[in-house]
Amino acid sequence: MDTGSYVTLQAPALEEMIHGIFIAIGCEADEAQAIASHLVASNLAGHDSHGVVRVPRYVDWHRAGYLHAGRKPEIVTDGGAFLLLDAQLGFGQAVTRQAVDLGIARAKQHGAAVVALRNSGHCGRIGTYAEQALAHGLISVHFVNVAGSFLVAPHGGVDRRFSTAPIAIGVPLEGRPVVLDFATSLVAEGKILVASNGGKPLPPDALIEPDGTLSGQPRTLYGDYPQVGPRIPGNGPGAIRAFGDHKGSGLALMCELLAGAFTAGGCSGPRDARGCITNGLLSIYLSPAHFGTEAEFQQMGRDYVEWVASSRPIDPASPVLLPGEPEARSREKRLREGLPLPADIWEDLRRTAAGLGVPVPAL
């Protein structure tokens, strides 16, 4: 299909197809729904890098034995207000949702909770889990790493040392919740994946070649790849750059130490005998109601974010937005108008579904 062209689908039809794909490879209905709804919701929020583009890769990992259907988080350590969980290489969207549910329950019981999760399959858009906690009135902070994945060069270097190591924070202000969600790399690997499939081009300085030359070409990370088909992160000679120079590089290091080393799930680096990459998460949950500051928190927080958003915009047509508001706008627009997908991504999804005997919706 022509690179640069797009197709448009309605979210429910796309979600039904994705659900069918994961049923076809052996997931139970609830697990398949958790994966499908998370991926489509990521596209709706404008985070195409963590959306349905991931489906063929997940199917390949499952076939290779790197991911397993039906796994649930196993409690390794239970200290009441803190937990260490092992996801046992389960599908990340399903096992992480369950881990967050446990964190929410413990924070409601104790006022605060810390949940460490290791050995999770790719858990997708981390902001989703902050939103899950927001629905229960909880503040949450999530540090994430990717064991077995070294794609990002540290500030001042060209060799890959970090994963894309995302961070998410959710603050439950009534009427104007705030969700901060970003990779500590200049771009998420999924954005490179989308760009390589005819999607939005990368910034020209997103990647770095071994000689220090800056690049916006996906082949810097992937090497050669077919127009439609798999991309192998790290198969190319170069690396993704950390965002914000030393600041993003420092945050990435902390994500590796907190979500990787502290959970004992492993830091980024060469793949071990498992042959796969896994996510580690360290999540902190706080209940304003238990701290006795909920009324003041709500009033002060709302007043402050309203004041921040009232700053005169550079462009009068583009007001200052708080973290989470671009996603809300994208969600409203895409629910109304449909989800745009690069044609090459759609073709990869269509082939995956057809190969599993799953009905493909009309465009």
Side-chain angles (χ1 to χ4, degrees), residues 115-272:
V115 178
L117 177 69
R118 68 189 183 200
N119 297 326
S120 168
H122 183 254
C123 55
R125 176 180 169 249
I126 307 305
T128 300
Y129 307 115
E131 291 166 353
Q132 188 177 338
L134 286 182
H136 293 268
L138 299 179
I139 296 167
S140 65
V141 183
H142 309 268
F143 300 95
V144 185
N145 90 311
V146 192
S149 173
F150 55 113
L151 302 178
V152 181
H155 177 59
V158 296
D159 296 323
R160 300 190 294 264
R161 291 294 183 268
F162 301 139
S163 65
T164 54
I167 292 173
I169 303 172
V171 180
L173 297 178
E174 294 173 2
R176 203 157 191 179
V178 179
V179 178
L180 182 69
D181 176 21
F182 59 80
T184 52
S185 53
L186 201 152
V187 294
E189 186 266 325
K191 293 188 184 299
I192 306 170
L193 182 62
V194 170
S196 74
N197 280 281
K200 183 179 178 181
L202 299 173
D205 61 349
L207 308 173
I208 188 166
E209 296 280 354
D211 64 359
T213 302
L214 302 185
S215 168
Q217 296 300 319
R219 283 182 171 80
T220 296
L221 187 69
Y222 296 139
D224 290 332
Y225 50 80
Q227 181 171 333
V228 177
R231 280 82 166 113
I232 302 175
N235 208 37
I240 312 173
R241 297 178 65 214
F243 91 90
D245 298 326
H246 63 286
K247 298 177 182 179
S249 187
L251 282 173
L253 177 64
M254 293 304 168
C255 283
E256 295 294 343
L257 294 175
L258 295 175
F262 179 67
T263 66
C267 300
S268 67
R271 287 174 173 80
D272 60 20

Side-chain angles (χ1 to χ4, degrees), residues 76 84-89 116-120 259-260 262-266 278-281:
V76 179
L84 171 60
L85 307 172
D86 194 310
Q88 306 182 82
L89 302 182
L117 177 69
R118 68 189 183 200
N119 297 326
S120 168
F262 179 67
T263 66
T278 57
N279 278 140
L281 295 88

Side-chain angles (χ1 to χ4, degrees), residues 130-131 134-135 137-139 169-180 297-313 318-329 331:
E131 291 166 353
L134 286 182
L138 299 179
I139 296 167
I169 303 172
V171 180
L173 297 178
E174 294 173 2
R176 203 157 191 179
V178 179
V179 178
L180 182 69
F297 164 65
Q298 288 294 335
Q299 186 64 56
M300 292 179 181
R302 287 198 306 269
D303 287 348
Y304 183 67
V305 298
E306 293 288 349
W307 183 65
V308 169
S310 72
S311 176
R312 286 185 298 113
S318 300
V320 173
L321 297 177
L322 300 174
E325 290 182 341
E327 288 84 351
R329 290 187 172 196
R331 191 175 296 115

